[in-house]
Amino acid sequence: MKLTIHHATHYRYAERVARSTQYIRLTPRDSARQRVIDWRVDLPSPAILLDDAFGNRTHLLTLSRAHDAIALVATGSVEIADVDDGEPADRLDPRIFLRTSELTEADE
């Protein structure tokens, strides 16, 4: 199945701000069940493109001029498989976050 996507996020501030920084994660990635055909993220200023620790495509947007609104628009198309076998499709199985570690064990 082919999906065409249009997503818009609008920030409006009560007062003008001198600057802002946004980490924008609006870009899908290819997986076992999804193929990105085309994708575009329109931002008010050029951004630094990077991948986060989980492999998500991230735009780092810094606006250094005064503003009272920000508009972010993502558009594109993806093709997804018609079958879902219930297994996670991404490289990192989200069930990994259910395990405990020294940092997540409850104390008294």
Side-chain angles (χ1 to χ4, degrees):
M1 174 186 330
K2 183 177 177 182
L3 301 175
T4 300
I5 300 156
H6 176 88
H7 171 91
T9 300
H10 296 274
Y11 294 97
R12 291 182 185 87
Y13 300 99
E15 298 177 16
R16 291 181 70 76
V17 294
R19 64 185 145 285
S20 65
T21 299
Q22 306 274 333
Y23 283 87
I24 301 161
R25 293 176 177 88
L26 290 175
T27 303
R29 63 180 181 196
D30 290 330
S31 71
R33 294 193 194 111
Q34 174 175 279
R35 182 175 67 91
V36 179
I37 299 169
D38 61 88
W39 200 258
R40 177 184 170 138
V41 179
D42 293 314
L43 304 171
S45 181
I48 297 170
L49 193 58
L50 53 97
D51 291 330
D52 71 10
F54 300 104
N56 299 306
R57 182 60 59 164
T58 304
H59 291 82
L60 174 56
L61 174 67
T62 301
L63 297 176
S64 298
R65 63 187 185 283
H67 57 282
D68 59 5
I70 302 173
L72 315 170
V73 179
T75 56
S77 57
V78 297
E79 188 172 60
I80 59 171
D82 292 331
V83 178
D84 182 358
D85 60 8
E87 289 297 313
D90 290 336
R91 290 171 270 172
L92 180 64
D93 187 333
R95 293 175 288 191
I96 194 169
F97 295 105
L98 297 175
R99 68 181 187 184
T100 59
S101 71
E102 290 181 22
L103 297 175
T104 62
E105 287 183 32
D107 59 17
E108 295 99 35

